[in-house]
């Protein structure tokens, strides 16, 4: 124990921060995003001229460099601004990680993060104070401490607000922030960078917001395996010399490519493989360490998502996974509902409506297990949903099967039923 606490432990890492996906890295470590970096730099250049940068909308799949690039550019602009005597900074908030996705909590979080950047105390309680009061204190801090400020609003589509609201919370937030200067709440040059995996979130904007919020869009596409190799090579110095076995970066990149070109996951996987090597006392990270890390990551991620679901939600998701397994990862909702009813009958469980089952499955979508889209035609049902899994279907089924209430499900026999339903 003493040797561990004293740091007398062999490690494969030289600078572990470089394989922490949250680390803001220099632009020379960013690969395959020259066009996006240039567009962001052009936008932020206005700050150095004393003008307000345009609002930006960065959109594309997870792990494609949206947040990474904009933070790198903002960090560089901050250095240049300081040299010119301009008080510029950026405040980044990821709304998906908040425990409550309401407007009130979002404004409180923005205020809290802005106060930290300003070096002042955020003296506003989370509850017992109106949202307007939170806005007022936020604007006071902005006006008192910054010449120019950019809010980086990450995963903004998670900011849904209260059930039954006329518009999502993110619509009201964007409306307020887009008008903060015109309504003379602040003299600070204030702009927003919205980061999202789902550009269609704009379809739910209130008409007032849609009119006043007009960002410049910048698209980020998936990375392929070769691009991921280049990205990981730029992090090789996170490890000691000769601490990576030949082929390790390539196999990590291959796993990343399977996860829709997600560089963030690939970087995290490389770090996890290093940590497994450390725990084993091995001086070199091997391909076996990578495979072990990947198996653990997939299982833990899925377990975290589905472990706390109610049995009805698990049955709904299990049905969708069974269908997807036989249909290349896609599960049409009418077929899913047929399988769900069979599962309920076999488990002596109450059968809910298809609308409820679809809602249960879509809930898993908010955690990144799957996505859904509405299609028309086929399956004799007109317009229906198709669920497409973004996590390995086998891992979802294995994790759900750990629930003793689902362990007796005859998956093989049901697979044949699924095939017949898909052919009908």
């Amino acid at each position: 124990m003493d040797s561990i606490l004293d740091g007398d432990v062999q490690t494969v890492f030289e600078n572990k921060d470089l394989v922490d996906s949250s680390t803001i890295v220099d632009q020379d470590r960013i690969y395959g995003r020259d066009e996006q970096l240039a567009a962001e730099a052009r936008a932020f250049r206005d700050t150095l001229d004393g003008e307000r940068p345009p609002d930006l909308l960065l959109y594309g799949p997870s792990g494609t460099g949206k947040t990474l690039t904009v933070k790198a550019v903002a960090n560089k602009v901050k250095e240049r601004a300081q040299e010119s005597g301009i008080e510029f900074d950026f405040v980044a908030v990821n709304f998906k990680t908040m425990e409550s996705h309401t407007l009130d909590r979002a404004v409180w979080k923005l205020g809290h993060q802005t106060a930290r950047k300003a070096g002042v105390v955020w003296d506003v309680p989370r509850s017992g104070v109106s949202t307007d009061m939170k806005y007022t204190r936020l604007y006071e801090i902005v006006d008192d401490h910054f010449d120019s400020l950019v809010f980086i609003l990450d995963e903004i589509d998670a900011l849904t607000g209260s059930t039954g609201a006329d518009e999502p919370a993110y619509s009201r937030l964007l409306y307020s922030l887009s008008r903060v200067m015109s309504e003379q709440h602040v003299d600070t040059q204030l702009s927003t960078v919205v980061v999202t995996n789902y550009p269609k979130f704009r379809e739910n904007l209130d008409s007032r917001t849609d009119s006043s919020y007009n960002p410049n869009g910048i698209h980020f596409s998936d990375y392929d395996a070769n691009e991921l190799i280049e990205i990981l090579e730029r992090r090789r110095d996170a490890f000691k010399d000769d601490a990576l076995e030949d082929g390790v970066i390539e196999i990590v990149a291959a796993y990343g490519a399977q996860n829709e070109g997600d560089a963030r996951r690939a970087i995290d996987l490389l770090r996890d493989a290093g940590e497994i090597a450390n725990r084993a006392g091995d001086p070199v990270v091997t391909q076996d360490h990578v495979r072990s890390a990947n198996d653990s990551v997939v299982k833990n991620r899925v377990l975290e998502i589905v472990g706390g679901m109610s049995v009805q939600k698990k049955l709904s998701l299990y049905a969708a996974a069974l269908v997807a397994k036989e249909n290349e990862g896609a599960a049409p909702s009418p077929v899913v509902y047929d399988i769900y009813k069979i599962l309920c009958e076999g488990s002596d469980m109450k059968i809910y409506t298809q609308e409820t089952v679809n809602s249960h499955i879509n809930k898993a979508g908010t955690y990144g297990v799957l996505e859904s889209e509405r299609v028309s035609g086929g399956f004799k049902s007109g317009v229906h949903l198709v669920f497409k899994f973004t996590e390995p279907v086998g891992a979802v089924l294995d994790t759900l099967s750990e629930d003793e209430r689902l362990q007796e499900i005859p998956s093989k026999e049901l697979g044949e039923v699924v095939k017949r339903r898909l052919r009908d």
Side-chain angles (χ1 to χ4, degrees):
M1 175 65 77
D2 288 340
S3 63
I4 293 175
L5 294 176
D6 293 338
D8 185 22
V9 176
Q10 177 174 279
T11 178
V12 298
F13 294 108
E14 183 68 34
N15 183 359
K16 193 174 178 181
D17 284 344
L18 290 177
V19 280
D20 183 339
S21 57
S22 65
T23 298
I24 300 175
V25 298
D26 295 333
Q27 292 183 35
D28 59 2
R29 291 188 183 274
I30 299 174
Y31 178 80
R33 290 295 177 253
D34 291 348
E35 181 180 339
Q36 290 83 358
L37 284 166
E40 292 163 1
R42 284 193 297 270
F44 277 76
R45 181 68 181 77
D46 291 342
T47 293
L48 303 177
D49 294 329
E51 299 177 359
R52 175 185 178 275
D55 294 327
L56 299 179
L57 172 62
L58 313 185
Y59 62 97
S62 296
T64 51
K66 301 184 295 296
T67 306
L68 179 72
T69 57
V70 75
K71 285 185 176 180
V73 171
N75 219 34
K76 181 62 69 175
V77 171
K78 182 178 178 179
E79 294 175 8
R80 296 281 300 277
Q82 287 175 340
E83 294 170 1
S84 303
I86 300 171
E87 292 294 333
F88 166 81
D89 216 325
F90 60 97
V91 174
V93 174
N94 187 314
F95 294 113
K96 192 171 184 177
T97 62
M98 295 194 317
E99 65 275 17
S100 172
H101 296 149
T102 63
L103 175 65
D104 185 76
R105 185 53 56 86
V107 177
W108 186 92
K109 187 70 173 180
L110 275 175
H112 181 267
Q113 297 294 84
T114 303
R116 288 181 60 185
K117 282 295 182 88
V120 300
V121 175
W122 176 245
D123 50 1
V124 180
R126 295 192 184 194
S127 58
V129 176
S130 70
T131 304
D132 284 345
M133 290 291 290
K134 294 182 175 76
Y135 269 127
T136 298
R137 179 59 181 144
L138 167 62
Y139 296 153
E140 286 175 353
I141 294 172
V142 170
D143 213 24
D144 290 344
H145 296 276
F146 303 100
D147 298 321
S148 181
L149 184 69
V150 173
F151 285 132
I152 299 175
L153 311 176
D154 206 349
E155 308 251 24
I156 196 171
D157 39 276
L159 194 60
T160 52
S162 303
T163 303
D166 293 337
E167 60 180 312
Y170 62 72
S171 177
R172 286 174 284 154
L173 178 65
L174 288 175
Y175 179 76
S176 297
L177 295 181
S178 66
R179 297 186 60 81
V180 65
M181 292 178 64
S182 64
E183 294 183 355
Q184 299 182 330
H185 293 298
V186 299
D187 292 326
T188 302
Q189 303 285 357
L190 185 66
S191 57
T192 62
V193 175
V194 168
V195 181
T196 180
N197 304 338
Y198 307 103
K200 289 186 177 181
F201 85 95
R202 294 197 65 183
E203 296 175 359
N204 294 319
L205 294 179
D206 177 78
S207 59
R208 297 180 310 155
T209 307
D210 195 42
S211 176
S212 61
Y213 171 67
N214 298 291
N216 293 347
I218 302 176
H219 177 247
F220 289 71
S221 57
D222 291 334
Y223 290 114
D224 61 29
N226 290 330
E227 289 173 322
L228 289 174
I229 289 173
E230 292 291 343
I231 290 167
L232 295 169
E233 285 287 355
R234 284 164 168 74
R235 312 269 181 144
R236 180 184 282 273
D237 52 336
F239 297 86
K240 292 180 177 179
D241 291 343
D242 301 322
L244 293 182
E245 180 184 71
D246 290 345
V248 161
I249 282 181
E250 287 75 11
I251 191 174
V252 171
Y255 280 127
Q258 290 172 11
N259 280 311
E260 301 185 351
D262 191 328
R264 186 187 304 114
R265 288 189 183 181
I267 292 167
D268 288 345
L269 179 60
L270 185 59
R271 183 198 64 238
D272 291 346
E275 290 176 342
I276 287 175
N278 278 347
R279 288 196 294 271
D282 296 331
V284 175
V285 182
T286 67
Q287 294 186 38
D288 284 342
H289 292 139
V290 175
R291 294 186 185 94
S292 296
N294 186 65
D295 290 344
S296 177
V297 166
V298 170
K299 187 173 181 62
N300 288 342
R301 190 167 59 237
V302 175
L303 180 62
E304 179 182 354
I305 292 166
V306 306
M309 286 183 169
S310 67
V311 66
Q312 276 290 338
K313 289 179 180 177
K314 287 182 177 180
L315 283 169
S316 302
L317 187 60
Y318 199 104
L322 281 173
V323 176
K325 182 181 179 182
E326 305 296 339
N327 196 40
E328 299 181 345
S333 58
V335 181
V336 171
Y337 189 60
D338 285 346
I339 302 304
Y340 161 80
K341 288 188 290 185
I342 293 173
L343 291 176
C344 288
E345 290 166 354
S347 306
D348 198 26
M349 299 290 292
K350 178 180 178 181
I351 297 176
Y352 286 85
T353 65
Q354 181 160 0
E355 182 180 6
T356 299
V357 171
N358 289 348
S359 177
H360 286 337
I361 298 170
N362 274 324
K363 183 66 175 177
T366 64
Y367 299 117
V369 173
L370 51 80
E371 298 174 347
S372 65
E373 62 177 335
R374 194 170 296 277
V375 300
S376 60
F379 301 100
K380 303 177 183 179
S381 57
V383 177
H384 61 275
L385 292 175
V386 174
F387 304 106
K388 295 183 178 180
F389 280 76
T390 54
E391 294 290 352
V393 173
V396 174
L397 288 169
D398 289 345
T399 305
L400 288 169
S401 296
E402 293 180 5
D403 188 319
E404 60 182 13
R405 293 167 295 187
L406 278 65
Q407 288 177 354
E408 302 302 320
I409 292 175
S411 300
K412 186 175 181 180
E413 292 83 346
L414 278 174
E416 296 301 318
V417 176
V418 170
K419 292 176 183 176
R420 289 198 298 272
R421 293 287 199 278
L422 289 169
R423 289 195 298 266
D424 291 344

